[in-house]
């Protein structure tokens, strides 16, 4: 698996074992800092974009108007929601 950052540096190859170890380290550090829990996920959320858009279009965000600003697509030239 490749890991890259915004610095423009080439991606770093990491094995599944290295990623599992990093995950455990993060969970340990979080517990040491007093966090009740920690979650780790992928940053590519395109697969849940449409369900979110549908949910927002239905008005299910209630009075949380800031969420209505999320009605945009990842394909937009300017992906700033508001």
């Amino acid at each position: 698996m490749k890991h890259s950052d915004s610095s423009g540096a080439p991606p770093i190859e990491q094995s599944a074992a290295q990623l599992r170890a990093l995950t455990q380290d993060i969970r340990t550090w979080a517990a040491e800092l007093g966090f009740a829990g920690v979650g780790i996920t992928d940053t590519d959320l395109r697969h849940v974009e449409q369900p979110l858009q549908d949910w927002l279009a239905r008005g299910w965000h209630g009075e949380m108007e800031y969420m209505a600003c999320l009605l945009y697509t990842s394909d937009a030239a300017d992906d700033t929601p508001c």
Side-chain angles (χ1 to χ4, degrees):
M1 183 169 285
K2 292 183 180 181
H3 166 75
S4 62
D5 61 26
S6 61
S7 71
I12 301 167
E13 289 285 340
Q14 292 184 320
S15 70
Q18 289 172 312
L19 292 173
R20 283 191 298 274
L22 177 58
T23 298
Q24 187 54 51
D25 287 345
I26 291 170
R27 292 182 189 282
T28 299
W29 298 327
E32 289 171 356
L33 291 169
F35 287 87
V38 64
I40 299 170
T41 188
D42 194 332
T43 57
D44 182 0
L45 300 176
R46 287 178 287 186
H47 65 285
V48 294
E49 182 177 354
Q50 192 57 55
L52 172 61
Q53 297 295 331
D54 295 343
W55 187 85
L56 292 168
R58 289 184 186 102
W60 292 353
H61 57 284
E63 295 179 9
M64 297 178 286
E65 291 299 321
Y66 66 93
M67 292 190 78
C69 293
L70 296 174
L71 283 169
Y72 70 100
T73 66
S74 61
D75 298 330
D78 177 11
D79 64 356
T80 305
C82 295

